[in-house]
Structure formats: C-alpha cells, structure tokens
Amino acid sequence: MSRKPELTGRAARLAQLFPTGSARAARTPFVVLVVALLGGGLIGLLVLNSALSEGAFRLDDLQRDTKNLTDEEQALQRDIDAHSAPDALERRARDLGMVPGGDPAFLGPDGSVKGVPGPAPAGGTPQAVAPEALATATVPPPSPATTPAPTPATTPGR
C-alpha cells in the first residue's frame, strides 16, 4: 500500500528533475562547511586581536623607554653645559695651576708674525675676560723693529 504509482508522459519527465534521495544528506556537508568557516574566522580574529594587543604593549614599552632615554640625554646635556660654562672652566683651570696667557701673536699665511707676544703674568691672580671682549679685541699691527724672531725654545706648543 505504500507503493507509488508509476508516472507516465509529462509527469515522468518532471519527476526526473527532483532528487530521489533524502534532502538531509545533501544539507549536512553544507552545514559542516559553514560551521567550519565560521569557526576558522573566529579563531583568525582571535589570533589577529592577540597580535594587535601584543604590538600595542610593545609600543607602550618602547615609548616609555624613549621617554626615559630622552630625560637621561637632557640631564647629561645639562651637565655638559654646566661643565663647559666659562666660570666653571676658569675655576678648573685655576685648580690645575693655570694662569691666563699674555698678549698673543699670530702667524699670517705668508709666515709673518702679527702682534707682539708677551709672557703670562707670573704668580698673580688670573683675571677673567668676558668672551665678548675677546671677540671684539683688535691686534695692533706689528712694528718690524720690535717684532722678535721666534726661536724654537720660545715657540708655544712645542
């Protein structure tokens, strides 16, 4: 009684267009594929989010290190500026027993001596000269009669 009647003609041709097996068997691989794609996508998003978080933490650490190194650089630069100030240099030179030099003499490009050299004051307390005064100082022109010839024993720096 559960037997289906045989179809003929047009009905038989239309019946061939419909699947004869169960619809559940065709749906199962599709559902498994969709669930696998969704699971893979979620795992991919989790890995991506973890990588971005790790990068943000590393960036924060690097910015903190950069700030610390910048602060240290500025502190060292302040120390250098304090040690290279004119009064600090003068104080250290006095501690080493140095005295200010006498009148300088300069050598021209042709080998001529310009200026009259003078010896450094012996023993006295050194007097500080402002850097502005040194920049604007002029050297008097040498007179040929009073310009001493440099000798190896009196040449500075040797």
Side-chain angles (χ1 to χ4, degrees):
M1 297 218 152
S2 65
R3 203 177 122 113
K4 292 185 181 177
E6 299 253 349
L7 300 174
T8 59
R10 187 173 185 184
R13 285 191 309 251
L14 286 175
Q16 289 176 353
L17 295 177
F18 292 110
T20 56
S22 69
R24 216 173 261 289
R27 231 182 267 163
T28 305
F30 177 72
V31 170
V32 169
L33 177 67
V34 168
V35 169
L37 287 175
L38 286 175
L42 287 175
I43 290 173
L45 283 175
L46 179 65
V47 168
L48 181 64
N49 191 18
S50 298
L52 288 175
S53 295
E54 180 183 349
F57 284 124
R58 185 158 188 254
L59 178 64
D60 187 47
D61 290 341
L62 291 174
Q63 285 175 339
R64 189 178 320 113
D65 290 345
T66 301
K67 182 185 175 298
N68 291 339
L69 290 174
T70 302
D71 291 345
E72 183 179 350
E73 177 191 14
Q74 289 174 351
L76 291 173
Q77 188 62 45
R78 278 192 306 269
D79 290 345
I80 289 171
D81 292 342
H83 283 90
S84 63
D87 58 339
L89 289 174
E90 180 185 3
R91 185 176 51 252
R92 285 200 314 265
R94 261 196 239 136
D95 292 344
L96 292 173
M98 299 173 81
V99 296
D103 295 330
F106 300 96
L107 291 178
D110 59 350
S112 62
V113 177
K114 296 182 180 182
V116 179
T125 46
Q127 297 176 353
V129 179
E132 297 84 22
L134 290 176
T136 60
T138 58
V139 176
S143 63
T146 61
T147 304
T151 60
T154 60
T155 303
R158 299 227 177 182

